[in-house]
Amino acid sequence: MIIRVLGSGAGGGFPQWNCNCNNCSGVRNQTIKATPRTQSSIAISNDGEHWVLFNASPDIRAQIEAFPGIQPHHGVRDTGISAVVLCDGQIDHTTGLLILRESPKPLEIYCTRMVRDDLESGFPIFNMLGHFCGINHHEIPFDGSAFTIPGIDDLCFYTHALKSKAPPYSPHRENPHAGDNIGILVKQISTGKTLYYSPGLGEIEPQVETAMTNADCILVDGTFWTDSEMIDAGVSKKTARSIGHLPQSGSGGMIEVMDALEKPRKVLIHINNTNPILDEQSEQRNILTQHGIEVAFDGLEIEL
Ligand code: MLT
Ligand code: MN
Ligand code: ZN
């Protein structure tokens, strides 16, 4: 299977429009060695022609233009995007659906019942799309069981609930429900190869540990280096954990979790603009390299 990173940044992207933090000003003024990143999304295909999008970023238009694989190839209106799977109902993972409104047929959207509820109420983009192309919602499980997508014959998707956070406009924000956030194991049936994808991961529960241990590649939450990162940067009063993201450093952090894994290629994704690992010459980035951990960038392609 081919995995293409369309956007490796967290909500806001890098640089963020109104941010003057060390990283954002550094990448704008080229005073640090860093690369801009669009907001969180990947595409997966087993034939290079039919792609499943995982999350639809507000930057999707630029992401499509940057990747010929999902551009129109046949006839006057076409797309390489066969379906969209949503990991949650957050703005950075769903707003791109509005940008796809010119589709001549309904968008094929795979998400849990919880995410569908939020996208029909607090952030009613499913209702809005009803006035354009419409959507076909396919309800997906969150108990670890599998689903398939018509036309994507060689891939199978196993989805499980995660402890993270529903969006601020969800009635579940402070009252988590299973299915607000999911992790996905993608398996190519013909080769047995697997990818574990989880851009928002607040806690390493047993089902997450099992998936990470057995996968050939993991593409997981790289949002923050420390729990207090946004507070320290003076940009927010929220900790990483309070918004559902496990920081990389420290006891029980993502580096420690990844150190225990022998099999997978380890890649961080959904990097927030405050994270010092964005600076390729930082001490923190060097630590990741020493631990054999990669940082995803826009355009990264992984073949399994
Ligand atoms: C998150 O991942 O916590 C959210 O996407 C943050 C945001 O977009 O505001
Ligand atoms: Mn996000
Ligand atoms: Zn910033």
Side-chain angles (χ1 to χ4, degrees), residues 19 21 24 273:
C19 192
C21 77
C24 291
N273 54 69

Side-chain angles (χ1 to χ4, degrees), residues 180-245:
D180 288 336
N181 302 77
I182 54 163
I184 305 178
L185 189 82
V186 185
K187 182 174 184 175
Q188 183 159 25
I189 298 159
S190 59
T191 61
K193 295 282 185 193
T194 53
L195 167 80
Y196 181 62
Y197 176 58
S198 180
L201 196 50
E203 208 178 301
I204 308 297
E205 298 169 88
Q207 74 277 21
V208 176
E209 198 179 334
T210 304
M212 286 172 91
T213 304
N214 298 319
D216 293 290
C217 179
I218 59 174
L219 208 45
V220 295
D221 192 334
T223 314
F224 299 112
W225 180 257
T226 61
D227 197 40
S228 60
E229 184 173 307
M230 290 204 293
I231 300 168
D232 299 341
V235 299
S236 170
K237 292 193 167 61
K238 293 174 185 149
T239 62
R241 285 190 166 88
S242 77
I243 59 167
H245 297 292

Side-chain angles (χ1 to χ4, degrees), residues 27 36 42 44 52 61 77 113 130 146 156 160 169 181-182 191 194 198 202 229-230 234 239 254 279 294:
V27 74
I42 66 170
I44 301 186
V52 181
R61 212 192 132 274
R77 287 282 164 95
R113 190 164 39 83
C156 191
H160 56 227
Y169 38 81
N181 302 77
I182 54 163
T191 61
T194 53
S198 180
E229 184 173 307
M230 290 204 293
T239 62
M254 193 61 90
D279 177 350
E294 299 170 56

Side-chain angles (χ1 to χ4, degrees), residues 10-12 39 88 90-93 168 173 199-200 223-224 243-245 270:
Q39 295 167 83
D88 55 51
Q90 297 267 9
I91 287 178
D92 58 343
H93 284 160
R173 177 69 167 181
T223 314
F224 299 112
I243 59 167
H245 297 292
H270 189 275

Side-chain angles (χ1 to χ4, degrees), residues 23-68:
N23 279 343
C24 291
S25 69
V27 74
R28 266 190 210 107
N29 303 320
Q30 298 179 1
T31 54
I32 61 169
K33 189 168 187 289
T35 312
R37 282 168 166 80
T38 62
Q39 295 167 83
S40 187
S41 173
I42 66 170
I44 301 186
S45 175
N46 61 302
D47 62 7
E49 250 189 75
H50 302 87
W51 294 83
V52 181
L53 211 64
F54 289 80
N55 301 314
S57 149
D59 301 318
I60 193 167
R61 212 192 132 274
Q63 293 173 343
I64 291 170
E65 291 312 310
F67 179 39

Side-chain angles (χ1 to χ4, degrees), residues 6 43 51 53 60 63-64 67-73 78-81:
L6 303 180
W51 294 83
L53 211 64
I60 193 167
Q63 293 173 343
I64 291 170
F67 179 39
I70 52 174
Q71 290 168 9
H73 292 297
D78 180 44
T79 177
I81 301 169

